[in-house]
């Protein structure tokens, strides 16, 4: 096969994923002019450079004083935080609900008393959300008898096991028993990659918990189970799907349509890391042909150095690779297996190394949590191998949007945690989101939004930083980032 023909096949196979990257990047935003600075900004730049020097020299107290001169307090930092009651595991410690719990337990002993179980557990979980055992029992009940829950739930009550467990895990994300129950539900629903993502996020965010190694092992087990399941489905459908696909291509006078389907199947069978390696190779070859791939060693080493400070805190080993492309939009995206692409627009519009680190941490988190691979194969893709069309045309926009918002929040959380752990100012991603907020139409998140609105992300990132006591007054890297921006401008 000729090299150009090989490249064409790879480009066809990558088409679907490049569309997907739109969902996984931060947000579409128009580029701003990064060269315009007010006098106040210039004064602050010098102060922050001095603060960075003090911080690197070990004088953190002096650095903090200077950082505070140019960093305003978060608007809601002093607001009274939402009080979440401590979890309770013994009914005697709850201070109520004894009768409901007794009725539920009696109903469980008699399989015929389903109503007694359900209509005792539902009000118990609503009145006392901190009582963890009731949520677990309600989830298990709906898991074993989904029809009863679906037919008897009233408005506001959980109709499925997923609904029953999802609500409480959002309230108590660090509870191992709740997570085990959630993973059990996802396993029965054959959502193996979602189970892997849930386990991996716990193992990384709560790495000091004794259960962290258990969930890291579960994350790997479910990822392997997911990949085996995908390969099995693909192999079973390849012959039929490919034949139909090629026939459709002939009828539509589009001979490349069949090749695209074959190539996509081949890439998916290789698994997460294999797909990422093949996809990034095709992407970079295309960028080289266009002359838009930035190959300057100083720029690439700068990106690698920033990312290299954070990946040890990501909890997953990949063959991480980083690329820069000439594109004025403030954006970046991640391919499966730890391949990250950053636009020059993102570098030029960031004001510090910490802000760029926030962006990189966010994108690395997408790869670590397998978000890209999940979107690639979920939805209707496996059911529609006979029609090679963009994934977004086959998956419900509502389901697509809701998953993407969850993925963005997960990546924001993990990325900010890694940012703080690596010694950067913990508000780097928050500040980067402020740039996007200022350069895009600031519309509130709606049900069909693919990303949370920038203003919403700024708010929950501020809360995340305050609640976890992350250090906003750590290293920013203003001077070095300015030097890189000047070098990029020269290259352009």
């Amino acid at each position: 096969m000729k090299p150009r023909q090989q490249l064409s096949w790879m480009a066809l196979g990558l088409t679907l994923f490049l569309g997907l990257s739109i969902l996984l990047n931060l947000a579409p935003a128009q580029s701003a002019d990064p060269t315009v600075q007010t006098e106040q900004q210039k004064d602050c730049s010098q102060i922050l450079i001095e603060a960075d020097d003090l911080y690197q020299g070990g004088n953190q107290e002096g650095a903090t004083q200077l950082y505070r001169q140019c960093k305003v307090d978060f608007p809601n930092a002093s607001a009274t935080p939402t009080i979440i009651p401590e979890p309770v595991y013994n009914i005697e410690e709850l201070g109520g609900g004894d009768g409901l719990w007794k009725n539920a337990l009696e109903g469980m002993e008699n399989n015929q008393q389903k109503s007694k179980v359900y209509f005792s557990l539902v009000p118990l979980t609503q009145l006392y959300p901190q009582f963890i055992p009731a949520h677990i029992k309600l989830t298990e009940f709906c898991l074993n008898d989904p029809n009863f829950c679906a037919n008897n739930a009233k408005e506001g009550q959980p109709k499925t096991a997923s609904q029953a467990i999802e609500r409480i895990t959002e309230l108590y994300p660090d509870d191992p028993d709740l997570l085990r129950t959630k993973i059990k539900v996802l396993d029965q629903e054959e959502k193996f990659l979602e189970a892997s993502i849930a386990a991996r996020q716990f193992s990384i965010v709560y790495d000091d918990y004794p259960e962290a190694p258990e969930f890291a092992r579960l994350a790997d087990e479910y990822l392997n189970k997911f990949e085996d399941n995908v390969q099995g489905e693909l192999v079973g459908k390849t012959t039929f799907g490919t034949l139909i696909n090629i026939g459709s291509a002939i009828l539509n006078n589009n001979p490349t349509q069949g090749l695209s389907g074959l190539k996509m199947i081949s890439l998916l069978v290789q698994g997460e890391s294999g797909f990422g390696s093949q996809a990034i190779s095709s992407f970079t070859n295309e960028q080289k042909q266009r002359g838009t791939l930035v190959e300057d060693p100083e720029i690439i080493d700068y990106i690698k150095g920033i990312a290299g400070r954070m990946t040890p805190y990501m909890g997953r080993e990949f063959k991480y690779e980083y690329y820069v492309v000439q594109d004025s939009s403030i954006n970046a995206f991640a391919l499966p297996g730890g391949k990250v692409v950053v636009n020059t627009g993102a570098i030029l519009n960031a004001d510090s190394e910490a802000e760029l680190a926030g962006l990189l941490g966010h994108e690395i988190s997408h790869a670590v949590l397998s978000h890209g691979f999940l979107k690639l194969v979920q939805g209707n893709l496996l059911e529609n191998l006979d029609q090679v069309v963009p994934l977004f045309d086959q998956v419900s926009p509502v389901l697509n949007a809701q998953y993407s918002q969850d993925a963005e929040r997960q990546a924001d959380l993990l990325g900010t945690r890694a940012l703080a752990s690596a010694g950067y100012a913990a508000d780097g991603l928050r500040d980067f989101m402020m740039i996007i907020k200022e350069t895009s139409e600031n519309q509130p998140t709606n049900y069909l939004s693919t990303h949370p609105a920038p203003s919403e992300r700024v708010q929950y990132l501020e809360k995340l930083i305050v609640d976890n006591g992350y250090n906003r007054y750590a290293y920013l890297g203003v001077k070095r980032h300015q030097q890189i921006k000047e070098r990029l401008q020269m290259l352009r």
Side-chain angles (χ1 to χ4, degrees), residues 26-38:
L26 278 171
Q30 300 297 320
S31 62
D33 184 354
T35 62
V36 178
Q37 282 190 318
T38 65

Side-chain angles (χ1 to χ4, degrees), residues 32-37 348-351 485 489 492:
D33 184 354
T35 62
V36 178
Q37 282 190 318
L348 291 171
N349 281 277
D351 293 320
K485 289 168 67 170
Q489 293 282 17
R492 293 172 67 187

Side-chain angles (χ1 to χ4, degrees), residues 417-479:
R417 178 185 181 277
L419 187 70
S421 300
Y424 283 112
D427 53 2
L429 179 58
R430 177 263 182 198
D431 290 347
F432 194 88
M433 291 310 308
M434 286 293 293
I435 295 172
I436 293 181
K437 176 184 175 182
E438 293 166 0
T439 55
S440 62
E441 294 184 8
N442 189 26
Q443 299 296 328
T445 304
N446 60 53
Y447 197 57
L448 294 179
S449 298
T450 58
H451 291 73
S455 57
E456 178 185 333
R457 297 174 79 170
V458 167
Q459 289 178 359
Y460 69 64
L461 283 170
E462 291 177 352
K463 185 176 187 304
L464 174 69
I465 293 165
V466 172
D467 289 351
N468 288 277
Y470 292 150
N471 185 12
R472 294 182 62 204
Y473 308 108
Y475 182 68
L476 279 173
V478 174
K479 183 177 181 179

Side-chain angles (χ1 to χ4, degrees), residues 294-337:
V294 177
E295 299 184 85
D296 180 73
E298 186 173 348
I299 303 295
I300 301 304
D301 287 346
Y302 178 64
I303 300 296
K304 288 181 178 178
I306 295 173
R309 289 178 58 170
M310 293 186 290
T311 49
Y313 303 99
M314 289 294 185
R316 194 171 183 190
E317 293 185 4
F318 276 134
K319 185 181 178 182
Y320 291 101
E321 297 176 11
Y322 305 94
Y323 301 89
V324 177
V325 294
Q326 289 281 2
D327 190 318
S328 61
S329 61
I330 309 175
N331 235 332
F333 67 87
L335 294 171

Side-chain angles (χ1 to χ4, degrees), residues 34-107:
T35 62
V36 178
Q37 282 190 318
T38 65
E39 289 301 319
Q40 184 179 5
Q41 286 174 321
K42 290 180 181 178
D43 292 341
C44 257
S45 293
Q46 188 56 46
I47 292 173
L48 293 175
I49 289 172
E50 294 175 13
D52 284 338
D53 290 340
L54 289 177
Y55 188 87
Q56 288 187 305
N59 186 355
Q60 296 187 9
E61 183 177 349
T64 298
Q65 292 177 359
L66 291 181
Y67 284 135
R68 286 183 178 276
Q69 292 183 30
C70 293
K71 284 192 169 191
V72 298
D73 291 336
F74 293 155
N76 300 315
S78 60
T80 303
T82 302
I83 299 176
I84 299 176
E86 289 294 319
V88 174
Y89 299 91
N90 296 317
I91 192 67
E92 294 80 10
E93 302 173 7
L94 189 60
D98 305 62
L100 291 171
W101 184 237
K102 181 181 178 181
N103 286 339
L105 294 178
E106 289 175 353

